[in-house]
Structure formats: structure tokens, C-alpha cells
Amino acid sequence: KPGGTVLILEFSRPRSRLGFAAGRLYLKRIVPWLARWRADSREAEILMSYCWDTVEHCVPGDLIVDALTRSGFDTVRRSGWFGVFVEYAARKPGPPRPDATA
């Protein structure tokens, strides 16, 4: 909608070798083990083991920013934390939405 905002939260492939190795260890080994331990379920472990696979093969952030821009969004921004967590935010041009908290 005109004036609307889109927010995308995702994992991103770490750029550094150290970040890549740490992310793989955490998301491919530790998180699945924790899921199995917490849920007492082999299926939970298998499901969480796919998390790293999606990170390893994710779309580069520049392509996401470019797609948002080409789709008519402005004020497109990308923020990241710890080299793995990424937020994309953009606004569709148009009248501003009324503030829901006002």
C-alpha cells in the first residue's frame, strides 16, 4: 500500500571465515542438538538442522536491496547484527500512514 512499510528479518551468510565457521557450528550442530534436547524429538533436531542449509545458500543482501528498490520502495535500508542476523526495511511512497500510537 502507498505509505506502507515492509520489514524482512532473516539470517545471512557470514562474510568472514571465522563468522562462517562459527555460524555453521552454531546453526548446524548446537541449535539442532538444543532443539532435540528441549523438545525431546528427533524430528525437531532434523528440522533445525536445515537452518544452516538455508543460510549457506541464501540470496546475497545486495540483490534483496536491489529488488526492493526496483519494486518501487524508497528509503531501503539493510542493518545487520553479529554477521548473521539481517533486517531489511523500506517504505512504499505515498501518504504517510496514521500513527497507531497517537
Side-chain angles (χ1 to χ4, degrees), residues 5-10 68 73 77 81 86-90:
T5 300
V6 64
L7 178 63
I8 302 168
L9 304 173
E10 73 163 358
L68 288 167
F73 287 92
R77 84 182 149 81
W81 301 277
V86 180
E87 167 193 304
Y88 300 91

Side-chain angles (χ1 to χ4, degrees), residues 14-29:
R15 293 180 183 163
S16 72
R17 285 186 189 189
L18 179 59
F20 186 85
R24 182 176 51 202
L25 172 67
Y26 183 70
L27 293 175
K28 188 126 180 113
R29 301 283 182 235

Side-chain angles (χ1 to χ4, degrees), residues 62-95:
D62 294 342
L63 290 179
I64 295 171
V65 169
D66 184 53
L68 288 167
T69 303
R70 285 185 290 112
S71 297
F73 287 92
D74 62 14
T75 62
V76 178
R77 84 182 149 81
R78 178 178 189 247
S79 304
W81 301 277
F82 310 112
V84 173
F85 306 108
V86 180
E87 167 193 304
Y88 300 91
R91 185 177 172 280
K92 197 71 161 177

Side-chain angles (χ1 to χ4, degrees), residues 21-42:
R24 182 176 51 202
L25 172 67
Y26 183 70
L27 293 175
K28 188 126 180 113
R29 301 283 182 235
I30 295 172
V31 168
W33 177 82
L34 287 171
R36 182 176 188 155
W37 174 70
R38 180 68 177 107
D40 194 26
S41 164
R42 172 77 176 128

